[in-house]
Amino acid sequence: EIQWRYRQFGNWVEMSLFKIWQLLGFVTIRSWTLILFHIINTVLLWFLVRRLTGSVLTSWICCLIFLNSGAAFATLLFPFRVLKELLIFLFLSAWLIGKCAPGEKNYGREVLFLLIMLAMILTDEMAFTFIPLLYLFLFLEKGNGFINKRTLLGLIPVIAIYIPLTIFFKKIMI
């Protein structure tokens, strides 16, 4: 039986980056994409912790812990796929976008936030855990200012795209 996996966006990103490495002549079994994503995620984490705490020292400590974690070493030492690192990148990016300018009406930022949500859903199954956590974190910080009519209505297109895609791809796979 073929198991359905939500990884269309993640696979597309992975294959596109592989083609870029091919064009640059750096094709090896060891993917440099993992290392680049890990560095980018560390920088995003620094900005996020700085914005959350206001402390530069705390940001540096968090980044050092993130860089020296066992999961980080396992990801970098073994040639895994980049989906988990990509999902962390999307999660941290969405969190930073959600934290920017609380209460300010910026439709471009909201559309970008919702597009990242859709990309997360189509990257890995872990997104089904990350998205509610992200909404919970933003709600706890901003209170009712985050959960408004536009935010909830913005989820409708994401869900409206997600459900037909799921049905379509499941029919193709069976």
Side-chain angles (χ1 to χ4, degrees), residues 106-124:
N106 188 332
Y107 294 109
R109 187 175 294 132
E110 289 177 9
V111 168
L112 181 60
F113 180 81
L114 293 169
L115 286 174
I116 291 174
M117 292 294 111
L118 182 63
M120 284 175 70
I121 287 171
L122 296 174
T123 298
D124 196 275

Side-chain angles (χ1 to χ4, degrees), residues 122-142:
L122 296 174
T123 298
D124 196 275
E125 295 85 8
M126 283 177 51
F128 295 108
T129 305
F130 281 179
I131 291 173
L133 281 176
L134 181 61
Y135 270 84
L136 179 66
F137 290 144
L138 291 171
F139 175 74
L140 289 175
E141 181 194 0
K142 295 182 179 183

